[in-house]
Amino acid sequence: CDGIDLWRTDHAAKGEEGVFSLPLYGGEVVKIIKGHSASTPLFMFVALQAMHSPVPSSSLYGDGFGPHGLEEFMTPYAQYGDGFSVGNGLISNADHVLGEAVEALKAKDMWKNTLLVHTSDNGASVAPIGQEVRGTNFPLRGGKNTNFEGGVRVPAFVAGGALPASK
């Protein structure tokens, strides 16, 4: 693709080509929180597409497996093979991005008024397609691209200081 299909508010995000999305989005989330007035409500929808299978042909992959900068998150899973370490490294990196956002909210004294909703868009992929990041939906039947419970029931949680303590 010769064009740029990544936008920063109202203009193309030129200069961001070849940057892996997790640190890019994570940095943007923290920047927005830090620059926001704690006295004004803030709604933020963040869709981290990082759990999708990596594309090894991308310029983001120096050794052909795993984005640059993901190595520290992949290392704990290295003994289980490349596909497993990349998939779980992506999840661990997304957890790190979420943690940085929460810390930024706490530092701005915004956490006490925050309702955080965290969910996935579908169950894990269980189809054997090349180096696709694998997962398991056990004990549920099916997975991504199915209407079985394994494809539509996903882990989710709510958190934040806006939740009543009894919940």
Side-chain angles (χ1 to χ4, degrees), residues 59-81:
S59 62
L60 299 174
Y61 301 84
D63 59 2
F65 225 91
H68 292 298
L70 186 61
E71 295 85 6
E72 72 176 283
F73 299 102
M74 290 172 52
T75 299
Y77 311 104
Q79 66 188 1
Y80 303 109

Side-chain angles (χ1 to χ4, degrees), residues 21-23 25-27 29-30 46 48 73 92-102:
S21 65
L22 272 172
Y25 291 2
V29 166
V30 169
V46 181
L48 300 175
F73 299 102
S92 294
N93 196 345
D95 289 346
H96 177 76
V97 167
L98 178 61
E100 287 182 332
V102 168

Side-chain angles (χ1 to χ4, degrees), residues 109-123:
D109 200 28
M110 293 171 67
W111 183 249
K112 66 179 182 248
N113 296 318
T114 294
L115 175 62
L116 183 141
V117 179
H118 187 278
T119 187
S120 178
D121 62 344
N122 52 252

Side-chain angles (χ1 to χ4, degrees), residues 22-58:
L22 272 172
L24 178 67
Y25 291 2
E28 194 70 16
V29 166
V30 169
K31 179 178 154 187
I32 289 169
I33 293 169
K34 286 182 175 182
H36 188 78
S37 170
S39 63
T40 306
L42 172 65
F43 174 81
M44 199 180 306
F45 176 85
V46 181
L48 300 175
Q49 74 276 17
M51 280 15 104
H52 288 244
S53 299
V55 181
S57 61
S58 167

